[in-house]
Amino acid sequence: MRPRSVTTLLATLALALAVPATAEATPGSGVTGTIFKQKTVGNTDYVLREVVIQPGGYTGWHYHDGKLYAYVKAGTLTHNSADCGLDGLYRKGAAFTEPSDTVHIGRNLGTTPVVLEVLYVLPHGSPLSQDAPNPGCPF
């Protein structure tokens, strides 16, 4: 059983994610996330989250208001930038960062789930990610 504060946080996050996105947004598919820890220090939120992307799944085009630090626990993540180019192919054991305000998409083109441990370092009160329209890429 989870502590009440974590359960409340997860319920609030689920409600926030259920709000319909704009028509131009590109929502993800086959992606789930579990927040393990969240702490605010000054004006910065630190959120530790596990993200799982199923085979054929993708995050949708998005960006973050702060920096992310990620570690690949399983699978291979294909990471593309807004110029449609491949800016990373991250296999099990790899670590990478995502700078703030950079539009990108993460995709699982493999046959096993991608499992990421992600530390979000965000301005206080920011969402984990912001939806963005497809910049014109064929995927």
Side-chain angles (χ1 to χ4, degrees):
M1 180 178 263
R2 292 187 173 125
R4 185 171 174 81
S5 61
V6 173
T7 303
T8 302
L9 176 63
L10 292 175
T12 302
L13 181 60
L15 287 173
L17 294 175
V19 175
T22 64
E24 293 181 7
T26 56
S29 176
V31 179
T32 57
T34 303
I35 293 175
F36 291 129
K37 184 82 172 170
Q38 183 169 357
K39 183 168 181 77
T40 300
V41 178
N43 290 322
T44 304
D45 291 338
Y46 298 88
V47 181
L48 182 60
R49 182 178 185 222
E50 182 176 82
V51 176
V52 178
I53 307 172
Q54 296 300 323
Y58 51 90
T59 62
W61 290 98
H62 67 282
Y63 64 94
H64 309 279
D65 293 330
K67 192 168 187 175
L68 269 69
Y69 300 87
Y71 173 76
V72 182
K73 284 180 60 176
T76 300
L77 178 70
T78 299
H79 199 275
N80 296 92
S81 59
D83 67 1
C84 305
L86 178 68
D87 66 355
L89 189 63
Y90 304 109
R91 293 178 173 84
K92 179 180 177 180
F96 63 95
T97 62
E98 291 180 352
S100 63
D101 301 321
T102 303
V103 174
H104 59 277
I105 189 170
R107 301 181 296 146
N108 182 354
L109 304 180
T111 58
T112 61
V114 169
V115 180
L116 306 171
E117 294 294 329
V118 182
L119 174 63
Y120 298 75
V121 182
L122 303 167
H124 179 60
S126 295
L128 296 178
S129 66
Q130 303 270 9
D131 288 339
N134 183 326
C137 302
F139 45 86

